Amino acid sequence: MAMGRSRHRRRRRKQAVQAAVVIAALAITGVLLFWMYTDNRKDAKSGTETADAERRYRKINVDGVDYQYNTDLITVLLLGVDTSGQDMTGQADFISLAVFDRENESIRLIEISRDSMVDVRVFDAVGKDRGWNTQHLALAYAFAGGKEKGCLMTQEAVSRMFHGIPIVYYAAGNVSALPTFHNLVGDLTVQIPDDSLEYLDEGFKKGESLTLTSENVELFVRSRDTDQEYSNTGRMRRQETYMEAYLEKLKVLLSEDFSGTVSRMESVFSNTMTNIGLSEVSSFAEMAMEYRFDPEQDCYTVQGTDHSGEYHDEFHVDEEALQQLVLQIFYKKK
């Protein structure tokens, strides 16, 4: 009988301890959630836009016409970082938006100059947010220290630049990832779009055919004559030419061997700084295969003018042309 009471007391003590642990865990969770909530509120207030303001993109009025944001769009920010190896803390030399339209089953690419002078978040040496400042867009990634935070801050800067449209996904790779990215589709034959590479070799003339391999693709998409003003403009034309050829070849490979190509895509994504999960790669592959993509109609470049800055070239965005591009791609008339 005494032994039974003893076991009963031990069981009650054990239950009491378990209850205390559960209560403590709930209390800690509550405190953490409170901190996260208050921190998020502080972060939201530290910018120039509140949560309500960020939702204003959904319905807008331009020149007396009402527009509704197209919720069938999926937008992916693509970044190429100017470092190699495991280092992902440089500047974003290549910046592009891939827009997947699920209603019209189409893909559009929008290339953005790294030299675009836009609002970006600036951080000091210890990582403290110093607010918004007009800088080269490429520095949005660098100021945040690169990696995931750099991607998020570039997302934020591009979204702000594009009048608040949402950008859900990002994918960033540096120079070392380029051969792996290229080998997914293999050799590509392109027409050289201009003479911006002729300074390297007379064979790189406008209109000439060039076969791109994992050995020379970096030269084609990254090289520029820094002694020439506005040399990034020519490089952007080559990058656009490459992306057009790449997507067309990828569509062919997916139609010929979907599962094998998706498996190779998963391997590429696993070596990329991205928030696209491996389980989502197949969905993006299906869209890439099935959706319409016409390089003549579906590739865009943010318009503007080149200027000589105090230290570096600057690209000043044509805001009127950008607003028309945003309305054309991201909105529907109500």
Side-chain angles (χ1 to χ4, degrees):
M1 191 76 173
M3 289 179 61
R5 286 196 297 271
S6 177
R7 284 196 298 268
H8 182 66
R9 284 196 296 270
R10 286 198 298 269
R11 186 163 57 250
R12 291 183 62 183
R13 282 198 299 269
K14 183 178 180 181
Q15 290 173 343
V17 170
Q18 290 174 336
V21 170
V22 171
I23 293 170
L26 290 174
I28 293 171
T29 302
V31 171
L32 289 175
L33 288 174
F34 175 77
W35 285 346
M36 290 170 63
Y37 172 72
T38 53
D39 284 346
N40 287 338
R41 290 190 65 183
K42 290 174 184 176
D43 289 342
K45 291 179 179 179
S46 66
T48 58
E49 297 174 340
T50 64
D52 287 340
E54 290 172 354
R55 288 193 288 267
R56 290 174 189 164
Y57 73 88
R58 296 177 182 175
K59 297 178 182 180
I60 61 174
N61 182 285
V62 179
D63 296 330
V65 179
D66 291 324
Y67 294 88
Q68 180 83 36
Y69 180 78
N70 183 359
T71 56
D72 287 311
L73 302 182
I74 300 174
T75 304
V76 184
L77 177 67
L78 305 174
L79 302 176
V81 183
D82 64 352
T83 56
S84 59
Q86 298 299 311
D87 185 5
M88 289 289 291
T89 58
Q91 298 182 21
D93 266 359
F94 170 78
I95 306 170
S96 182
L97 287 177
V99 184
F100 296 83
D101 188 332
R102 291 171 291 183
E103 179 183 10
N104 297 312
E105 296 191 345
S106 65
I107 302 172
R108 290 167 171 158
L109 294 176
I110 307 172
E111 191 163 9
I112 310 167
S113 173
R114 59 151 348 261
D115 293 328
S116 299
M117 302 302 293
V118 298
D119 287 344
V120 304
R121 281 197 185 275
V122 178
F123 297 83
D124 63 20
V126 296
K128 186 175 181 180
D129 187 348
R130 292 299 184 184
W132 296 93
N133 194 278
T134 301
Q135 299 282 348
H136 291 79
L137 179 57
L139 295 178
Y141 182 88
F143 283 149
K147 300 182 180 179
E148 181 182 5
K149 188 175 181 181
C151 292
L152 293 172
M153 291 301 98
T154 308
Q155 263 185 311
E156 186 179 31
V158 174
S159 173
R160 186 180 177 94
M161 174 184 176
F162 277 68
H163 303 270
I165 59 104
I167 302 172
V168 177
Y169 293 102
Y170 62 79
N174 65 10
V175 177
S176 295
L178 189 53
T180 303
F181 178 78
H182 180 82
N183 284 335
L184 174 63
V185 299
D187 293 353
L188 295 172
T189 299
V190 299
Q191 299 292 118
I192 301 176
D194 55 29
D195 294 322
S196 60
L197 281 180
E198 198 172 3
Y199 77 100
L200 293 176
D201 190 297
E202 292 183 356
F204 294 123
K205 291 184 178 180
K206 180 180 180 179
E208 295 289 331
S209 294
L210 177 66
T211 298
L212 297 176
T213 68
S214 58
E215 284 75 32
N216 66 1
V217 64
E218 180 183 343
L219 178 148
F220 186 76
V221 301
R222 289 196 67 228
S223 297
R224 61 169 173 157
D225 186 356
T226 54
D227 291 332
Q228 295 292 321
E229 286 187 323
Y230 320 133
S231 57
N232 185 58
T233 301
R235 179 168 64 176
M236 286 179 63
R237 280 193 287 266
R238 284 182 270 115
Q239 290 170 346
E240 183 177 355
T241 297
Y242 179 73
M243 290 299 294
E244 291 171 359
Y246 189 96
L247 186 52
E248 287 188 294
K249 180 73 172 292
L250 180 61
K251 289 171 72 70
V252 172
L253 293 175
L254 286 167
S255 64
E256 294 175 347
D257 178 15
F258 183 81
S259 60
T261 304
V262 168
S263 179
R264 293 192 296 275
M265 289 176 66
E266 290 174 349
S267 178
V268 171
F269 272 85
S270 66
N271 292 297
T272 303
M273 183 72 61
T274 182
N275 62 348
I276 298 175
L278 292 181
S279 61
E280 298 171 295
V281 173
S282 181
S283 297
F284 277 100
E286 288 180 5
M287 290 188 288
M289 177 179 66
E290 297 173 358
Y291 287 11
R292 185 196 76 248
F293 175 73
D294 182 349
E296 296 297 322
Q297 299 181 20
D298 299 321
C299 289
Y300 303 83
T301 301
V302 173
Q303 300 299 305
T305 54
D306 289 307
H307 293 263
S308 294
E310 185 176 359
Y311 301 106
H312 303 286
D313 292 343
E314 297 179 356
F315 184 79
H316 294 186
V317 175
D318 183 332
E319 290 297 338
E320 184 175 344
L322 176 59
Q323 183 170 73
Q324 292 305 311
L325 180 64
V326 169
L327 292 176
Q328 176 185 349
I329 294 180
F330 298 97
Y331 284 87
K332 301 176 181 179
K333 287 184 180 180
K334 292 184 64 177

